Amino acid sequence: MKRTSRIYVTTRRVALCAVLVLAATSASVAAADEAAGPFGVTAVVGATAASARVGALFSADKAGSLSGNHFCTASVVHSPQRDLIVTAAHCVDGDDGTNLVFVPGYRDGLAPYGVWKVGRRYLPDGWSHGQDEDSDVAFAAVDELAGKRIEDVTRANRFATGVATGATAVTVIGYPDSREVPISCTNKPLAHSSTQQRIDCPEFTGGTSGSPWVNGDHEVVGVLGGHEQGGATADTSYSVVLGSEAAELYRDATAR
């Protein structure tokens, strides 16, 4: 379970003997559209145009004190209204109304692109009526900030459904709750089942739920969540296979 919040707190601790070297991003992480690796290597993400589209979720009451308080990851996806983010359903299904904020490009307690209030949320029926792990994806609209919409500030990836699992490598970017900077890893997803896909990348711990899986065409083809709400270990993560239900949900979220 890779969500950490006020309600759900992961108690798993990664063994201290695990070996991991977090190298510089430019040297360690292959672009998702490259044919060669290194694959399966996790690194800290630099501040780039691509990483600006990914951010951390916070409770609204933490907006004035961001450091150490993020609990999930989300990312900006293109929509006609230019205001949409995608994340895991289990990240935004609480009973606290719209009291969440999204901070794109979050880094070391700072909000370089602003703090955006999360508005209406869109969850699949499969999640709303039983928390089906095959429906663990959600959208949310964010309010305007200083007269601008979020996609005008950060730009966006495209949300893609019907892409075959493992068709290309993808890059996963997320915010572990133990770190104040994002990490990323590139690898090829594998089929876990007909409805779930998995990726082997180390150190994707609590807080990385909702992380986008982005291919070389700047398409989100997975969202970290699904099986075991993203995975019970740090080294293997999951996503719902984005099929007809996800496509219908996107249509609902953009039909405004």
Side-chain angles (χ1 to χ4, degrees):
M1 178 176 178
K2 301 205 176 177
R3 172 187 181 182
T4 299
S5 72
R6 302 180 310 280
I7 301 173
Y8 300 98
V9 180
T10 184
T11 58
R12 177 183 47 76
R13 294 292 182 267
V14 178
L16 294 178
C17 61
V19 178
L20 175 69
V21 177
L22 290 178
T25 302
S26 60
S28 299
V29 178
D33 56 354
E34 291 180 350
F39 292 142
V41 177
T42 299
V44 171
V45 179
T48 66
S51 65
R53 303 169 190 177
V54 184
L57 289 171
F58 299 78
S59 297
D61 60 1
K62 303 298 183 182
S65 180
L66 297 174
S67 185
N69 289 310
H70 54 92
F71 67 90
C72 266
T73 303
S75 66
V76 185
V77 290
H78 174 66
S79 66
Q81 297 83 6
R82 309 186 311 282
D83 64 355
L84 202 64
I85 60 174
V86 66
T87 187
H90 72 262
C91 289
V92 293
D93 68 347
D95 297 325
D96 51 357
T98 57
N99 293 324
L100 296 176
V101 295
F102 172 66
V103 183
Y106 173 73
R107 188 174 297 270
D108 294 322
L110 302 177
Y113 302 97
V115 177
W116 300 75
K117 188 176 185 296
V118 175
R120 183 175 177 182
R121 308 170 197 186
Y122 300 84
L123 283 76
D125 289 341
W127 185 267
S128 299
H129 303 302
Q131 297 189 344
D132 184 349
E133 67 176 20
D134 290 335
S135 301
D136 193 8
V137 62
F139 295 98
V142 296
D143 294 351
E144 289 187 4
L145 181 65
K148 295 184 178 181
R149 299 192 180 186
I150 194 166
E151 192 174 333
D152 300 328
V153 175
T154 66
R155 303 181 72 88
N157 296 310
R158 295 182 296 275
F159 185 75
T161 60
V163 177
T165 297
T168 65
V170 301
T171 295
V172 185
I173 301 177
Y175 285 85
D177 55 21
S178 60
R179 303 181 67 91
E180 294 301 291
V181 292
I183 60 172
S184 80
C185 172
T186 299
N187 212 338
K188 280 197 171 185
L190 301 170
H192 175 70
S193 68
S194 62
T195 55
Q196 297 281 332
Q197 52 188 326
R198 52 170 275 197
I199 194 167
D200 294 328
C201 281
E203 289 303 297
F204 276 77
T205 55
T208 59
S209 284
S211 299
W213 299 18
V214 184
N215 67 15
D217 292 326
H218 308 292
E219 295 174 329
V220 175
V221 297
V223 176
L224 201 156
H227 181 58
E228 296 176 326
Q229 294 193 3
T233 69
D235 295 340
T236 299
S237 298
Y238 297 86
S239 167
V240 172
V241 172
L242 300 179
S244 58
E245 185 180 51
E248 181 180 357
L249 186 67
Y250 178 78
R251 288 193 294 269
D252 289 345
T254 56
R256 290 179 278 127

